[in-house]
Amino acid sequence: MTGQVAEAPSEMAAATGLLTVGVEEEFLLVDPHTGAAVPAVDLVMEQVPAELRGQVEREFQTSQIEIGSPPGLELSSIRHSLGVLRRALADAAERAGVRLLAIGTGPVDGPVPPVVDKPRFDRMIERFRLLVPGPGNNGMHVHVGVPDPETGVQVLNHVRPWLPLLHAMTTNSPFARGEDTGYASWRSVEWERWPSVAPTPWLESHEHYQRLIRQLISSGVMLDEGMLYWYARLSAKYPTVELRIGDVCPSVDDAVLVAALVRALVATARADVDADRPALRTDHHLLVGAHWRAAHDGLEGEAVDVTTGELRPAWELLDQFVDRLRPALEQHGDWAEVTALLGGLRRHGSGAARQRAVYARTGRLTDVVQDVARQTRD
């Protein structure tokens, strides 16, 4: 996790009445000819411009690299930061002889690159052994400022039912080991091998949150708080809630759209908390099922309506969700841009649908890799 989220977003929110948002994105490094993942992170890091290195980090595997945008109030600043960082990283990768992909996991079969040489990662491998997911597991994390941990816990209760819809939006890994997996997000399936990956549970208080963390560590399920891989959590370092929604988005447009919706969801939750409106207490197992359905179908199929437990077209539920967030989107000046970006998403489909469309035309995963690389830079 990059240090750029370390500014105090809650202070800025207090001064303006608006919430800051920051984005972290993880990418895959691949061979430019075969599309297979390559252990090239050290070579790429050497090529990153010095002025941007504070916003770029190694990730878990040597085939991965991560960026983090500074927190901002304006979507334009998030767009600018992500665009600059993506282009600079794509250029650095090319100078290192590899290619940068904004993709959930590697579509082309090949050896699994080793884990980055860090004592903590060594301990994770020693404890959990073969849970390491494929050639690289790349997600997107969105941070939104909260004033204090107790409020943050209440926000987590309010946002947890709606995360499967954001999960469906971000599906971007249908291929693995050279074939179509049948899932829109195979990354999600691989990621759930880890025992601490799950929908956020219902939390009674911040003390309850901390007690669960202590119990998960003492039981051996996690090494430390950093391994709390719930889909939404409190940041261990910064005054934010962190939504760890799904696959990294293929383009900056997609990432900006998700960031705007996440901020609006948190702002809506904050308003509900302040007004003493209760959160929807969705059953944990229904949420597990809803996230599975999101990973399987993406936006192009059906999704679970968590208010009824029934299946409905994913886009129908997403439209209702965005309408629910409209007051917060308008408050932050994001409604017009979100409307335009949703129109683009509707026309082009999810990242998974775009990958499958390229493969249907050409029958070559190398063409899929090239198209993802183009979207990553653009």
Side-chain angles (χ1 to χ4, degrees):
M1 177 171 169
T2 65
Q4 291 301 314
V5 187
E7 298 176 25
S10 57
E11 294 176 9
M12 299 175 68
T16 63
L18 305 178
L19 304 183
T20 56
V21 60
V23 175
E24 298 167 350
E25 296 186 302
E26 299 161 350
F27 302 98
L28 188 69
L29 302 171
V30 301
D31 184 290
H33 305 294
T34 67
V38 289
V41 66
D42 288 339
L43 295 174
V44 175
M45 289 291 289
E46 291 174 1
Q47 298 296 326
V48 173
E51 65 273 16
L52 297 179
R53 287 180 185 170
Q55 295 172 260
V56 180
E57 283 192 353
R58 292 167 179 80
E59 240 298 319
F60 186 61
Q61 287 172 265
T62 52
S63 53
Q64 297 176 279
I65 197 163
E66 180 183 18
I67 63 171
S69 74
L73 291 172
E74 302 291 337
L75 286 187
S76 58
S77 67
I78 301 299
R79 177 182 294 280
H80 175 74
S81 295
L82 293 180
V84 167
L85 287 165
R86 281 182 175 226
R87 286 190 294 273
L89 212 53
D91 289 342
E94 290 179 11
R95 288 193 294 270
V98 298
R99 182 165 288 167
L100 184 78
L101 297 187
I103 195 168
T105 193
V108 176
D109 198 15
V112 176
V115 170
V116 169
D117 185 15
K118 289 177 62 174
R120 179 173 180 267
F121 293 164
D122 292 341
R123 291 197 303 274
M124 289 172 68
I125 295 300
E126 182 181 1
R127 170 81 57 86
F128 299 102
R129 307 299 292 178
L130 292 179
L131 296 187
V132 176
N137 193 289
N138 305 299
M140 173 187 182
H141 309 153
V142 182
H143 288 257
V144 182
V146 290
D148 57 77
E150 202 64 56
T151 300
V153 164
Q154 297 308 312
V155 166
L156 295 179
N157 284 341
H158 279 263
V159 305
R160 61 193 287 272
W162 313 110
L163 298 189
L165 286 172
L166 294 170
H167 191 166
M169 282 183 62
T170 59
T171 49
N172 187 34
S173 53
F175 297 102
R177 300 178 182 87
E179 60 181 305
D180 193 319
T181 65
Y183 284 78
S185 173
W186 187 248
R187 181 209 67 88
S188 300
V189 177
E190 290 190 322
W191 184 230
E192 287 171 1
R193 297 173 182 176
W194 293 92
S196 55
V197 174
T200 309
W202 183 269
L203 299 161
E204 300 298 337
S205 63
H206 184 232
E207 192 281 328
H208 180 206
Y209 181 92
Q210 292 177 310
R211 184 170 71 251
L212 281 174
I213 291 174
R214 292 193 299 270
Q215 291 171 337
L216 290 171
I217 293 172
S218 64
S219 66
V221 171
M222 307 188 313
L223 292 181
D224 51 40
E225 188 172 351
M227 282 191 69
L228 187 72
Y229 298 141
W230 293 343
Y231 299 141
R233 68 182 188 184
L234 302 182
S235 171
K237 298 180 180 179
Y238 312 121
T240 64
V241 290
E242 179 186 4
L243 274 63
R244 308 167 59 84
I245 308 144
D247 298 349
V248 63
C249 291
S251 73
V252 170
D253 272 353
D254 298 312
V256 169
L257 173 59
V258 173
L261 292 178
V262 168
R263 174 166 65 180
L265 177 59
V266 173
T268 302
R270 287 276 305 274
D272 287 342
V273 171
D274 292 344
D276 290 326
R277 288 188 286 267
L280 180 63
R281 192 159 182 168
T282 308
D283 182 82
H284 176 79
H285 292 285
L286 181 60
L287 279 184
V288 170
H291 278 285
W292 176 86
R293 193 82 200 197
H296 185 272
D297 285 27
L299 271 183
E300 283 65 42
E302 293 185 299
V304 176
D305 182 342
V306 295
T307 65
T308 65
E310 302 297 324
L311 285 177
R312 291 171 57 191
W315 264 107
E316 183 179 307
L317 288 175
L318 181 59
D319 286 337
Q320 290 184 1
F321 174 65
V322 174
D323 284 344
R324 181 176 182 271
L325 302 184
R326 181 167 182 168
L329 289 167
E330 290 180 336
Q331 177 192 10
H332 286 83
D334 297 342
W335 175 251
E337 183 162 6
V338 163
T339 300
L341 292 173
L342 277 172
L345 184 64
R346 199 184 300 270
R347 289 191 301 274
H348 303 306
S350 66
R354 290 173 228 172
Q355 290 186 45
R356 284 173 166 150
V358 172
Y359 189 75
R361 290 196 302 270
T362 72
R364 294 189 297 269
L365 283 176
T366 50
D367 291 336
V368 173
V369 168
Q370 289 178 4
D371 189 65
V372 173
R374 175 191 59 78
Q375 293 182 73
T376 303
R377 177 186 289 278
D378 291 346

